[in-house]
Amino acid sequence: MDDDNDLTPYEKAVLFACCDANNFSLHSHVPPEYVRKRIKNIPAKYIKKAFKTLFAKGYILKHPARRSGMTIQLTKKGLQVGLVILDEIRET
């Protein structure tokens, strides 16, 4: 799949953390803090920049929640690339 070639390693890590936090489901949505807790060894400014890029490219969506503010939801494109990243991880 060519869609994951334009992503930086930081963006791939954040996208995979979003997929993992959402249990690879298109119907769930979680707060961004929940995703950030799953990412280790990446500075916060790079995570924030990766979130902005992933929103702009259409891999994840901001989903409003009633009480907890904004949450993050995967798109079909984001799920497909997340599954490709999972396959890459399993191969190594």
Side-chain angles (χ1 to χ4, degrees), residues 13-39 47 51 54-55 59-75:
V14 172
L15 180 60
F16 183 72
C18 289
C19 290
D20 187 39
N22 284 306
N23 293 322
F24 291 89
S25 172
L26 295 175
H27 301 290
S28 67
H29 47 94
V30 296
E33 296 81 25
Y34 190 69
V35 175
R36 285 188 187 110
K37 288 180 183 179
R38 294 176 177 269
I39 302 171
I47 295 172
F51 269 128
L54 292 171
F55 287 132
Y59 291 103
I60 53 179
L61 296 172
K62 290 182 182 177
H63 187 274
R66 291 183 183 151
R67 287 184 251 166
S68 62
M70 297 304 274
T71 57
I72 294 174
Q73 184 175 12
L74 288 171
T75 62

Side-chain angles (χ1 to χ4, degrees), residues 37-56:
K37 288 180 183 179
R38 294 176 177 269
I39 302 171
K40 306 280 191 241
N41 301 327
I42 297 178
K45 67 179 185 176
Y46 294 119
I47 295 172
K48 186 176 181 179
K49 186 176 179 181
F51 269 128
K52 286 183 182 181
T53 305
L54 292 171
F55 287 132

